[in-house]
Short mmCIF file of all heavy atoms in Angstrom, two decimals:
data_model
loop_
_atom_site.label_atom_id
_atom_site.label_comp_id
_atom_site.label_asym_id
_atom_site.label_seq_id
_atom_site.Cartn_x
_atom_site.Cartn_y
_atom_site.Cartn_z
N ALA A 54 0.06 126.07 -5.15
CA ALA A 54 0.54 124.81 -5.72
C ALA A 54 1.37 124.04 -4.69
O ALA A 54 1.21 122.82 -4.55
CB ALA A 54 1.36 125.08 -6.98
N PHE A 55 2.24 124.73 -3.97
CA PHE A 55 3.07 124.06 -2.96
C PHE A 55 2.21 123.45 -1.86
O PHE A 55 2.35 122.27 -1.55
CB PHE A 55 4.07 125.06 -2.35
CG PHE A 55 4.87 124.48 -1.21
CD1 PHE A 55 6.02 123.76 -1.46
CD2 PHE A 55 4.45 124.65 0.11
CE1 PHE A 55 6.75 123.21 -0.41
CE2 PHE A 55 5.19 124.11 1.16
CZ PHE A 55 6.35 123.38 0.90
N TYR A 56 1.32 124.21 -1.28
CA TYR A 56 0.54 123.71 -0.16
C TYR A 56 -0.48 122.65 -0.59
O TYR A 56 -0.78 121.73 0.18
CB TYR A 56 -0.11 124.86 0.62
CG TYR A 56 0.94 125.57 1.43
CD1 TYR A 56 1.56 126.72 0.96
CD2 TYR A 56 1.37 125.06 2.64
CE1 TYR A 56 2.56 127.35 1.69
CE2 TYR A 56 2.37 125.67 3.38
CZ TYR A 56 2.96 126.81 2.89
OH TYR A 56 3.97 127.41 3.61
N ARG A 57 -0.96 122.73 -1.81
CA ARG A 57 -1.90 121.72 -2.31
C ARG A 57 -1.17 120.46 -2.75
O ARG A 57 -1.52 119.36 -2.37
CB ARG A 57 -2.72 122.30 -3.46
CG ARG A 57 -3.79 121.33 -3.97
CD ARG A 57 -4.65 121.91 -5.07
NE ARG A 57 -3.85 122.53 -6.11
CZ ARG A 57 -4.10 123.73 -6.64
NH1 ARG A 57 -5.14 124.44 -6.23
NH2 ARG A 57 -3.34 124.22 -7.59
N GLU A 58 -0.12 120.62 -3.57
CA GLU A 58 0.53 119.46 -4.20
C GLU A 58 1.63 118.84 -3.35
O GLU A 58 1.82 117.63 -3.39
CB GLU A 58 1.08 119.87 -5.56
CG GLU A 58 -0.02 120.28 -6.52
CD GLU A 58 0.50 120.99 -7.76
OE1 GLU A 58 1.69 120.87 -8.08
OE2 GLU A 58 -0.32 121.68 -8.41
N VAL A 59 2.37 119.64 -2.61
CA VAL A 59 3.47 119.11 -1.81
C VAL A 59 2.99 118.71 -0.41
O VAL A 59 3.29 117.62 0.07
CB VAL A 59 4.64 120.12 -1.73
CG1 VAL A 59 5.75 119.60 -0.82
CG2 VAL A 59 5.20 120.42 -3.12
N LEU A 60 2.25 119.59 0.25
CA LEU A 60 1.80 119.29 1.60
C LEU A 60 0.39 118.71 1.66
O LEU A 60 -0.13 118.44 2.74
CB LEU A 60 1.91 120.53 2.48
CG LEU A 60 3.35 121.03 2.70
CD1 LEU A 60 3.38 122.17 3.69
CD2 LEU A 60 4.27 119.90 3.15
N CYS A 61 -0.23 118.51 0.51
CA CYS A 61 -1.51 117.80 0.38
C CYS A 61 -2.64 118.42 1.20
O CYS A 61 -3.52 117.72 1.71
CB CYS A 61 -1.34 116.33 0.76
SG CYS A 61 -0.09 115.48 -0.23
N LEU A 62 -2.66 119.75 1.29
CA LEU A 62 -3.73 120.44 2.00
C LEU A 62 -4.88 120.75 1.05
O LEU A 62 -4.68 120.88 -0.16
CB LEU A 62 -3.21 121.74 2.62
CG LEU A 62 -2.12 121.59 3.68
CD1 LEU A 62 -1.70 122.95 4.21
CD2 LEU A 62 -2.57 120.69 4.82
N THR A 63 -6.06 120.88 1.59
CA THR A 63 -7.26 121.18 0.80
C THR A 63 -7.55 122.68 0.88
O THR A 63 -7.70 123.23 1.97
CB THR A 63 -8.47 120.39 1.35
OG1 THR A 63 -8.17 119.00 1.27
CG2 THR A 63 -9.73 120.71 0.57
N GLU A 64 -7.63 123.32 -0.30
CA GLU A 64 -7.96 124.75 -0.33
C GLU A 64 -9.44 124.93 -0.02
O GLU A 64 -10.28 124.13 -0.46
CB GLU A 64 -7.64 125.34 -1.70
CG GLU A 64 -7.77 126.84 -1.74
CD GLU A 64 -7.28 127.47 -3.04
OE1 GLU A 64 -6.89 126.73 -3.96
OE2 GLU A 64 -7.30 128.71 -3.11
N ILE A 65 -9.74 125.96 0.75
CA ILE A 65 -11.13 126.28 1.08
C ILE A 65 -11.41 127.73 0.71
O ILE A 65 -10.48 128.53 0.54
CB ILE A 65 -11.44 126.01 2.57
CG1 ILE A 65 -10.53 126.86 3.48
CG2 ILE A 65 -11.30 124.53 2.89
CD1 ILE A 65 -10.86 126.76 4.95
N ALA A 66 -12.67 128.06 0.59
CA ALA A 66 -13.06 129.42 0.19
C ALA A 66 -12.75 130.43 1.29
O ALA A 66 -12.90 130.14 2.48
CB ALA A 66 -14.55 129.46 -0.13
N ARG A 67 -12.32 131.61 0.87
CA ARG A 67 -12.15 132.74 1.80
C ARG A 67 -13.43 133.56 1.78
O ARG A 67 -14.17 133.57 0.80
CB ARG A 67 -10.99 133.64 1.34
CG ARG A 67 -9.66 132.98 1.39
CD ARG A 67 -8.49 133.93 1.17
NE ARG A 67 -8.67 134.91 0.12
CZ ARG A 67 -8.03 136.07 0.04
NH1 ARG A 67 -7.16 136.42 0.94
NH2 ARG A 67 -8.24 136.89 -0.96
N PRO A 68 -13.69 134.29 2.85
CA PRO A 68 -14.87 135.16 2.86
C PRO A 68 -14.79 136.19 1.74
O PRO A 68 -13.70 136.67 1.41
CB PRO A 68 -14.80 135.85 4.23
CG PRO A 68 -13.97 134.94 5.08
CD PRO A 68 -12.98 134.32 4.14
N PRO A 69 -15.91 136.54 1.13
CA PRO A 69 -15.92 137.51 0.02
C PRO A 69 -15.34 138.87 0.40
O PRO A 69 -14.86 139.60 -0.45
CB PRO A 69 -17.39 137.63 -0.35
CG PRO A 69 -18.07 136.44 0.22
CD PRO A 69 -17.24 136.00 1.40
N SER A 70 -15.36 139.22 1.67
CA SER A 70 -14.84 140.52 2.10
C SER A 70 -13.32 140.60 2.05
O SER A 70 -12.76 141.69 2.13
CB SER A 70 -15.32 140.83 3.52
OG SER A 70 -14.83 139.85 4.43
N PHE A 71 -12.65 139.47 1.89
CA PHE A 71 -11.19 139.47 1.79
C PHE A 71 -10.81 139.83 0.36
O PHE A 71 -10.69 138.98 -0.50
CB PHE A 71 -10.63 138.10 2.19
CG PHE A 71 -10.61 137.87 3.67
CD1 PHE A 71 -11.76 137.97 4.43
CD2 PHE A 71 -9.44 137.55 4.31
CE1 PHE A 71 -11.75 137.77 5.79
CE2 PHE A 71 -9.42 137.34 5.68
CZ PHE A 71 -10.57 137.45 6.43
N ASP A 72 -10.63 141.13 0.13
CA ASP A 72 -10.41 141.63 -1.23
C ASP A 72 -8.92 141.85 -1.53
O ASP A 72 -8.57 142.65 -2.37
CB ASP A 72 -11.19 142.92 -1.44
CG ASP A 72 -10.80 144.02 -0.47
OD1 ASP A 72 -9.98 143.76 0.43
OD2 ASP A 72 -11.33 145.14 -0.61
N PHE A 73 -8.05 141.13 -0.85
CA PHE A 73 -6.61 141.22 -1.09
C PHE A 73 -6.11 139.82 -1.47
O PHE A 73 -6.78 138.82 -1.21
CB PHE A 73 -5.88 141.76 0.15
CG PHE A 73 -6.16 140.98 1.41
CD1 PHE A 73 -5.37 139.90 1.77
CD2 PHE A 73 -7.23 141.33 2.23
CE1 PHE A 73 -5.63 139.18 2.91
CE2 PHE A 73 -7.49 140.62 3.39
CZ PHE A 73 -6.69 139.53 3.74
N PRO A 74 -4.94 139.73 -2.11
CA PRO A 74 -4.44 138.43 -2.57
C PRO A 74 -4.22 137.46 -1.41
O PRO A 74 -3.73 137.85 -0.35
CB PRO A 74 -3.11 138.78 -3.24
CG PRO A 74 -3.16 140.24 -3.52
CD PRO A 74 -4.05 140.84 -2.48
N GLY A 75 -4.57 136.22 -1.65
CA GLY A 75 -4.35 135.19 -0.65
C GLY A 75 -5.14 133.95 -0.93
O GLY A 75 -5.85 133.85 -1.94
N ALA A 76 -5.01 132.99 -0.04
CA ALA A 76 -5.73 131.72 -0.15
C ALA A 76 -5.79 131.11 1.25
O ALA A 76 -4.95 131.40 2.10
CB ALA A 76 -5.03 130.77 -1.11
N TRP A 77 -6.79 130.25 1.46
CA TRP A 77 -6.94 129.54 2.73
C TRP A 77 -6.92 128.04 2.47
O TRP A 77 -7.42 127.55 1.44
CB TRP A 77 -8.26 129.88 3.40
CG TRP A 77 -8.35 131.24 4.02
CD1 TRP A 77 -7.47 132.28 3.88
CD2 TRP A 77 -9.39 131.70 4.87
NE1 TRP A 77 -7.91 133.36 4.59
CE2 TRP A 77 -9.09 133.04 5.22
CE3 TRP A 77 -10.54 131.14 5.38
CZ2 TRP A 77 -9.91 133.80 6.05
CZ3 TRP A 77 -11.36 131.89 6.20
CH2 TRP A 77 -11.04 133.19 6.55
N PHE A 78 -6.35 127.32 3.44
CA PHE A 78 -6.30 125.86 3.38
C PHE A 78 -6.78 125.29 4.71
O PHE A 78 -6.50 125.85 5.77
CB PHE A 78 -4.87 125.37 3.14
CG PHE A 78 -4.42 125.57 1.72
CD1 PHE A 78 -3.80 126.74 1.35
CD2 PHE A 78 -4.63 124.59 0.77
CE1 PHE A 78 -3.39 126.94 0.05
CE2 PHE A 78 -4.22 124.78 -0.54
CZ PHE A 78 -3.61 125.96 -0.90
N ARG A 79 -7.46 124.16 4.64
CA ARG A 79 -7.89 123.46 5.84
C ARG A 79 -6.70 122.71 6.43
O ARG A 79 -5.93 122.08 5.72
CB ARG A 79 -9.02 122.49 5.52
CG ARG A 79 -9.55 121.77 6.77
CD ARG A 79 -10.76 120.90 6.55
NE ARG A 79 -10.55 119.91 5.50
CZ ARG A 79 -11.28 119.85 4.39
NH1 ARG A 79 -12.26 120.69 4.17
NH2 ARG A 79 -11.03 118.93 3.49
N LEU A 80 -6.56 122.78 7.74
CA LEU A 80 -5.56 121.99 8.47
C LEU A 80 -6.31 120.97 9.30
O LEU A 80 -7.11 121.33 10.16
CB LEU A 80 -4.72 122.88 9.39
CG LEU A 80 -3.83 123.92 8.71
CD1 LEU A 80 -3.19 124.84 9.74
CD2 LEU A 80 -2.76 123.23 7.88
N GLY A 81 -6.08 119.71 9.04
CA GLY A 81 -6.75 118.66 9.80
C GLY A 81 -8.17 118.44 9.32
O GLY A 81 -8.57 118.90 8.25
N PRO A 82 -8.98 117.74 10.12
CA PRO A 82 -10.35 117.44 9.72
C PRO A 82 -11.21 118.69 9.61
O PRO A 82 -10.99 119.67 10.33
CB PRO A 82 -10.87 116.52 10.83
CG PRO A 82 -9.83 116.46 11.88
CD PRO A 82 -8.61 117.19 11.41
N ALA A 83 -12.18 118.65 8.72
CA ALA A 83 -13.06 119.80 8.50
C ALA A 83 -13.75 120.22 9.79
O ALA A 83 -13.96 121.41 10.04
CB ALA A 83 -14.10 119.47 7.42
N ALA A 84 -14.08 119.26 10.63
CA ALA A 84 -14.77 119.57 11.88
C ALA A 84 -13.91 120.39 12.83
O ALA A 84 -14.41 121.09 13.70
CB ALA A 84 -15.21 118.28 12.57
#
Side-chain angles (χ1 to χ4, degrees):
F55 175 85
Y56 286 96
R57 184 178 48 226
E58 297 166 19
V59 176
L60 295 186
C61 303
L62 297 180
T63 300
E64 188 172 4
I65 59 174
R67 295 190 317 157
S70 61
F71 283 56
D72 59 355
F73 55 90
W77 286 11
F78 285 90
R79 182 174 54 240
L80 295 173

